[in-house]
Amino acid sequence: NLLHRGPDATLRMILRKPSHERTQEELELVFEELLHIAALSHLSTSIKRELASIIVFEAHAQAGTILFNQGDEGRSWYILLKGSVDVVIHGKGTVATLKEGDDFGKLALINDAPRAATIVLKENNCHLLRVDKEYFNRILRDVEANTLRLQEHGKDVLVLERVAKQRGHSAFKYTVMSGTPSKMLEHLLETRLGGQVGPNDPFLDDFLLTHIVFMPVPQLVDDLANYFHSEGEGSQSPEDREYMITFRKRVVQFVQKWVIAVRHAVFDDPIVCDFIEDLASEVEVDPELSEEAGIIHHVLTQLSRYQEDRNMHAGQKWKLPPNGQPICLFSGNPTSSRTVIRPDDDIIFRVYCADHTYCTLRFPLHTTAEIIKACAADKLQLNRGPDDLQLVEVKSNGERSIFKDTDVSVPTGLSLNGRIFVSTKDHLDALTPLPEQEGPTEGLDIDIEVLSTKELAYHITLFDWDLFWAVHEYELLYHTFGRHHFGKITANLDVFIRRFNEIQYWVVTEIVSTASMGKRVALLRKFIKLAAYCKEYQNLNAFFAVVMGLSNMAISRLQQSWDKLPSKFRKLYQEFEALIDPSRNHRAYRVFVGKLQPPVIPFMPLLLKDMTFAHEGNKTSLDGLVNFEKMHMMAQTMRTIRFCRSRHLVLDPPSPKSEGEVRSYISCLRAIDNQRVLMAMSQKIEPNRK
Ligand code: CMP
């Protein structure tokens, strides 16, 4: 047959004829032969019959012949019948040798991308079958095998899979399922950048949002620099020069997209800043890269603006109020708009001993639990070695959770009324919460009744928007994979999540602290109205917090109060409860939020749940390759955040009645977060019926 003997003279003769000259008998002969070719084994007989009329035979006498070059337009797909070929990639050399029965040249066709490698004949007298692009597209494109694997040095480096397109010209496209970090980057540069009209899919954005999980910045920068400097194979032929220019353009465009995708986080690493500056100096002197020089110049402007801003806010001090909830700028005006919390900002907090004595510490947020522990032990004169001691959070309900030595950003990670303790390992059981952890002791003691509900919702939303704005998408990854994994802080996310809990428990606390039935009913109405305004302002985080507060056992059991509520409010509340209903994976909320236009403040705990779900349900690495499907899932959630913030929050302010008061009130809400205490208070105001 074709593979083992090589096609006999007749077959060759047929396969060299143009298709319209092939007789029925001849086509039958070819068809018979195609049945034996492994590269076609996944195709149906009817497809093979179609191929019989268009497949072409090609013989090459000379070893060393270049069949096509990397970067060329892809015109055909090949099957190797006899002989062998080398797959050669710029900057890497020969990455694979293909033998009889192997096929190649599909990648460029399915992706509409340039050739990813040069194919050089390794032996004299090679025989090939060829399917030209127009036929490939017509006959094969839509029935192509689902998975495409690329190997280098005998190991898989990239796995692509065919997926149905939602809409578009051709019915299918290929997306990256897994790969080595470097090969994925190379594939990205060659198919998604440099003015190529590759598939318009989220691959690039996914990669930019998630590479920190599988490809640390130094490695990425290193690969980019190598790619930028790959000079072809030595000779400075015009083609080589052309490749070089294309490669450089791609790297510059990559950097441009990188900054757009993750903003200032790109500039947080000095390695990247150096790289961008080097890039700029090389691009600027190349007359063929004038457009790219403009791009890099713009990036440099953003970089210096960011650095100025960072210097301006350098050494910010944050304060974890001993009793109150929000983490606020120390000595700053608590109502002025916030800035981002950075790893080298300081935070002031207390560390307690078993006997409730404490010391006040001030450390940068990136400080590890180990250092805090040692310093607290020293200040509190515990006279024990660090190995005997432990840093612990004691929650208001007495629960304890131990910090790992490597934990960073310890104070921001505390539960609402949690406190940091240091203790010897064998005395952990003796740690009890401070009396103040039980009750709301800080915060303004204003009667909430006198404040306008709309104004409350308005200022809560502005406040939340500031907190939400400060959260970087990366913090979701740090949170999901574990901050210690990256040595990064998630302080802005922590603060935002704390705020959610704060609002939730504030609602419960206010109601169970109201002894008068009449006032309590009025308060229920007020909170339902507050939820309605938050929903109207598209602050779904606060909306959930308020409604979840109202559905807390300590509140839902207050039957007499609920009975006195006008039915209009009870109905509204039922609607809200349906919206926060977690069944079918929060379907009601997802449908609702899916219809909103930005700006939106999303229900953050659900986004974190989605991240965790993607993380726990999928391995990060599959047979040594990055599971890029997982990265895609996570990037989708990260993009939700981007979408929510893609327009600035502009709200019509309600007519100010007591603006200053409302603003200071909402910046520090009083909340009890011990469920047992809340239930006891609830029992007291409405005892169980006998
Ligand atoms: P295409 O990009 O069309 O042209 C070069 C071909 O080399 C490519 O399709 C693949 O079919 C084949 N190839 C084999 N191994 C590799 C590899 N590791 N990287 C890129 N291409 C490869």
Side-chain angles (χ1 to χ4, degrees):
N1 65 34
L2 280 175
L3 256 184
H4 296 112
R5 285 180 283 106
D8 56 32
T10 339
L11 259 172
R12 288 198 205 181
M13 186 272 294
I14 306 169
L15 288 171
R16 281 182 169 130
K17 282 196 205 176
S19 66
H20 63 271
E21 287 176 20
R22 299 180 189 179
T23 67
Q24 202 51 48
E25 212 175 315
E26 287 171 340
L27 290 179
E28 197 58 34
L29 212 74
V30 178
F31 170 72
E32 295 278 314
E33 290 300 323
L34 296 185
L35 293 177
H36 303 288
I37 295 177
L40 303 176
S41 60
H42 63 286
L43 300 170
S44 69
T45 39
S46 67
I47 299 269
K48 282 179 193 146
R49 281 190 194 284
E50 283 192 75
L51 285 176
S53 75
I54 55 90
I55 207 157
V56 181
F57 179 79
E58 220 180 89
H60 294 270
Q62 280 294 317
T65 305
I66 292 177
L67 210 54
F68 55 73
N69 275 300
Q70 181 178 357
D72 287 355
E73 185 196 338
R75 296 217 176 85
S76 319
W77 173 53
Y78 296 89
I79 301 166
L80 198 50
L81 290 179
K82 180 163 162 286
S84 57
V85 301
D86 278 334
V87 181
V88 183
I89 295 181
H90 280 286
K92 285 187 183 173
T94 304
V95 297
T97 300
L98 306 177
K99 305 175 304 306
E100 271 181 28
D102 290 337
D103 68 297
F104 57 88
K106 207 185 278 180
L107 203 55
L109 302 186
I110 58 174
N111 284 327
D112 286 320
R115 295 293 192 192
T118 299
I119 301 288
V120 189
L121 302 187
K122 206 177 178 189
E123 303 173 27
N124 290 336
N125 200 19
C126 288
H127 292 172
L128 299 153
L129 287 179
R130 195 184 81 218
V131 176
D132 290 334
K133 185 173 180 174
E134 54 166 317
Y135 300 115
F136 183 90
N137 282 344
R138 203 182 72 203
I139 306 171
L140 293 176
R141 200 176 173 123
D142 291 349
V143 295
E144 250 321 311
N146 283 327
T147 319
L148 196 77
R149 290 173 181 274
L150 294 184
Q151 294 199 324
E152 282 178 14
H153 311 293
K155 286 204 183 94
D156 282 352
V157 288
L158 193 66
V159 181
L160 305 177
E161 202 155 288
R162 205 164 73 107
V163 290
K165 249 190 189 172
Q166 277 94 357
R167 234 172 273 133
H169 304 295
S170 77
F172 294 96
K173 62 177 178 119
Y174 280 72
T175 103
V176 172
M177 299 305 283
S178 61
T180 62
S182 293
K183 188 69 181 180
M184 289 195 295
L185 176 63
E186 180 189 289
H187 184 63
L188 189 64
L189 290 164
E190 310 224 318
T191 60
R192 311 303 203 264
L193 290 160
Q196 304 302 339
V197 271
N200 184 18
D201 64 8
F203 180 40
L204 175 61
D205 195 47
D206 289 349
F207 187 96
L208 293 173
L209 286 173
T210 61
H211 74 84
I212 54 167
V213 173
F214 56 84
M215 193 180 204
V217 165
Q219 194 190 339
L220 173 60
V221 165
D222 219 41
D223 271 25
L224 286 173
N226 285 338
Y227 194 85
F228 186 86
H229 289 120
S230 56
E231 305 270 317
E233 255 59 83
S235 78
Q236 276 296 330
S237 65
E239 285 110 28
D240 278 346
R241 172 81 193 143
E242 208 177 297
Y243 284 138
M244 206 177 86
I245 295 294
T246 318
F247 284 18
R248 299 194 163 188
K249 286 183 176 172
R250 287 175 183 153
V251 172
V252 171
Q253 288 175 19
F254 181 93
V255 170
Q256 180 190 28
K257 306 272 182 189
W258 193 8
V259 177
I260 294 172
V262 302
R263 310 182 310 281
H264 58 83
V266 173
F267 306 133
D268 276 334
D269 198 321
I271 294 179
V272 186
C273 300
D274 290 349
F275 171 67
I276 294 175
E277 276 158 17
D278 289 351
L279 209 60
S281 59
E282 291 196 58
V283 169
E284 269 161 17
V285 296
D286 196 329
E288 282 176 86
L289 294 174
S290 56
E291 200 176 313
E292 283 66 29
I295 296 176
I296 275 288
H297 184 75
H298 182 64
V299 170
L300 280 178
T301 317
Q302 286 172 287
L303 169 62
S304 58
R305 231 185 274 143
Y306 174 67
Q307 283 171 337
E308 265 169 42
D309 179 70
R310 199 170 49 188
N311 292 341
M312 207 169 77
H313 291 110
Q316 285 185 128
K317 287 201 290 283
W318 300 88
K319 180 171 113 192
L320 181 68
N323 310 314
Q325 289 74 41
I327 289 167
C328 57
L329 258 182
F330 183 70
S331 75
N333 174 359
T335 56
S336 75
S337 101
R338 295 167 50 101
T339 59
V340 174
I341 306 176
R342 298 177 209 276
D344 40 15
D345 286 350
D346 280 346
I347 182 155
I348 300 166
F349 57 98
R350 289 178 180 177
V351 178
Y352 294 84
C353 278
D355 64 3
H356 294 178
T357 55
Y358 65 86
C359 63
T360 303
L361 298 180
R362 172 176 158 184
F363 273 113
L365 279 131
H366 60 68
T367 309
T368 59
E370 189 176 20
I371 293 175
I372 295 175
K373 182 173 78 178
C375 184
D378 187 48
K379 278 204 166 186
L380 293 164
Q381 297 176 328
L382 293 185
N383 299 327
R384 297 291 280 267
D387 290 342
D388 290 339
L389 294 171
Q390 216 129 39
L391 205 62
V392 199
E393 170 182 0
V394 178
K395 299 185 180 156
S396 60
N397 63 3
E399 252 177 58
R400 291 172 278 265
S401 71
I402 296 168
F403 291 107
K404 284 196 286 292
D405 277 351
T406 50
D407 278 338
V408 289
S409 192
V410 168
T412 60
L414 292 180
S415 67
L416 212 51
N417 289 332
R419 297 286 183 276
I420 307 171
F421 282 69
V422 62
S423 150
T424 55
K425 281 185 177 163
D426 40 356
H427 281 103
L428 286 181
D429 290 345
L431 299 181
T432 53
L434 312 166
E436 68 186 36
Q437 285 179 258
E438 289 257 300
T441 41
E442 200 160 299
L444 290 183
D445 200 7
I446 300 178
D447 194 349
I448 170 180
E449 256 179 276
V450 304
L451 304 175
S452 131
T453 313
K454 189 165 187 185
E455 222 177 349
L456 274 171
Y458 174 78
H459 287 288
I460 284 177
T461 302
L462 294 189
F463 190 89
D464 285 359
W465 181 255
D466 278 347
L467 298 186
F468 179 46
W469 190 256
V471 177
H472 194 278
E473 289 90 333
Y474 275 173
E475 291 186 64
L476 270 77
L477 285 178
Y478 302 150
H479 177 91
T480 310
F481 285 87
R483 323 182 261 246
H484 55 277
H485 194 88
F486 300 90
K488 298 280 189 182
I489 66 163
T490 55
N492 299 290
L493 179 60
D494 294 344
V495 170
F496 190 50
I497 293 292
R498 275 173 74 92
R499 178 65 176 179
F500 177 84
N501 293 324
E502 189 186 331
I503 294 179
Q504 186 185 337
Y505 284 106
W506 160 65
V507 170
V508 186
T509 305
E510 284 299 326
I511 297 173
V512 295
S513 319
T514 307
S516 139
M517 171 76 75
K519 281 193 165 189
R520 208 154 59 233
V521 176
L523 207 51
L524 280 179
R525 283 171 60 152
K526 195 174 188 75
F527 281 128
I528 294 171
K529 264 168 68 183
L530 182 68
Y533 281 125
C534 287
K535 180 166 165 253
E536 198 179 302
Y537 288 139
Q538 308 201 135
N539 180 359
L540 301 172
N541 200 58
F543 168 79
F544 259 75
V546 173
V547 181
M548 279 173 74
L550 289 172
S551 65
N552 185 298
M553 254 304 273
I555 306 303
S556 62
R557 65 169 290 285
L558 300 173
Q559 201 51 52
Q560 297 163 40
S561 314
W562 286 101
D563 284 347
K564 295 206 170 55
L565 202 64
S567 66
K568 178 182 133 197
F569 282 92
R570 243 178 301 163
K571 253 187 77 194
L572 199 56
Y573 175 67
Q574 274 163 8
E575 257 172 54
F576 293 167
E577 264 194 321
L579 203 52
I580 72 159
D581 179 1
S583 61
R584 291 196 292 157
N585 196 11
H586 278 282
R587 192 175 152 76
Y589 166 73
R590 288 183 202 269
V591 168
F592 173 77
V593 78
K595 291 185 197 137
L596 298 183
Q597 288 305 311
V600 173
I601 306 178
F603 172 42
M604 195 55 124
L606 185 60
L607 294 178
L608 292 182
K609 196 181 133 206
D610 288 346
M611 291 293 282
T612 308
F613 187 81
H615 180 46
E616 287 174 356
N618 302 278
K619 286 190 185 152
T620 303
S621 156
L622 297 173
D623 304 323
L625 301 181
V626 178
N627 179 4
F628 202 73
E629 235 191 329
K630 171 172 179 172
M631 299 306 132
H632 173 67
M633 289 169 81
M634 296 189 145
Q636 293 283 60
T637 304
M638 295 162 82
R639 269 191 288 273
T640 307
I641 293 193
R642 183 196 289 166
F643 174 76
C644 289
R645 300 193 289 214
S646 58
R647 255 188 253 145
H648 281 281
L649 181 76
V650 188
L651 300 176
D652 284 336
S655 55
K657 299 202 180 81
S658 40
E659 193 185 350
E661 226 175 353
V662 171
R663 284 170 63 167
S664 17
Y665 179 82
I666 60 105
S667 70
C668 188
L669 300 171
R670 310 180 324 149
I672 300 171
D673 70 341
N674 182 345
Q675 188 65 28
R676 202 169 22 79
V677 174
L678 292 168
M679 278 307 277
M681 292 169 78
S682 167
Q683 290 281 356
K684 208 166 136 201
I685 52 172
E686 264 186 46
N688 276 347
R689 294 238 178 91
K690 294 277 147 48

